[in-house]
Amino acid sequence: QVQLVESGGGLVQPGGSLRLSCVASTSILTINAMGWYRRSPGKQRELVARITSGGSTNYADFIKGRFTISRDVAKSTVYLQMNSLKPEDTAVYYCKAERYSGQYWGKGTLVNVSS
C-alpha cells in the first residue's frame, strides 16, 4: 500500500504559476513511476506528466514546456511546477504511484485558473 497526499492547488490568475506537491508514504525509489494526472470538468482523467524511479520523464503534448515534474527522494515527494497557466488548465490534479503490486491514487487537489 502507498498513501499519497497532494497539496498546492488553489485559485490563480491566467499566466500565473503554482507548484503542486505529492508526498508518498514510502520511499519513491521503491515505486516504479509516479505521475500527475488531471480531470477537467466534463472530461476524462488524463496524464499530465510522469517520472520513473530512474528519473526519466514524459509529458502530455498539451503541456508544451509550461510544466515540469521533479522529485525530492529524501522527502519522498514529487512536484509539478506549473507556469503560464491557462483557464483550460482548471482541473483536479491527482498524483498516482505505479508499482508491480498495483496503482495508487491520491485524493487530488483543485487548481482553478480564473481572473
Side-chain angles (χ1 to χ4, degrees):
Q1 283 280 353
V2 179
Q3 282 79 48
L4 303 170
V5 179
E6 304 100 331
S7 63
L11 176 64
V12 62
Q13 293 186 342
S17 299
L18 281 176
R19 187 177 79 158
L20 306 183
S21 300
C22 172
V23 181
S25 60
T26 187
S27 170
I28 58 177
L29 294 179
T30 69
I31 299 171
N32 294 340
M34 293 189 69
W36 285 98
Y37 292 72
R38 72 185 188 185
R39 179 179 286 150
S40 304
K43 296 185 177 180
Q44 291 187 336
R45 188 156 50 187
E46 59 184 353
L47 171 69
V48 177
R50 184 175 176 268
I51 185 167
T52 69
S53 58
S56 299
T57 60
N58 63 287
Y59 296 90
D61 289 342
F62 59 76
I63 297 305
K64 295 183 180 178
R66 298 183 298 124
F67 296 0
T68 303
I69 190 170
S70 64
R71 64 183 182 177
D72 186 328
V73 173
K75 295 181 178 180
S76 296
T77 302
V78 174
Y79 303 98
L80 184 68
Q81 177 66 43
M82 305 187 294
N83 300 325
S84 302
L85 283 161
K86 306 174 182 180
E88 50 264 43
D89 294 317
T90 294
V92 177
Y93 285 72
Y94 298 90
C95 181
K96 176 182 149 181
E98 301 171 24
R99 272 183 159 176
Y100 294 122
S101 61
Q103 300 179 354
Y104 305 89
W105 292 90
K107 293 183 178 180
T109 184
L110 175 64
V111 172
N112 187 358
V113 185
S114 175
S115 55

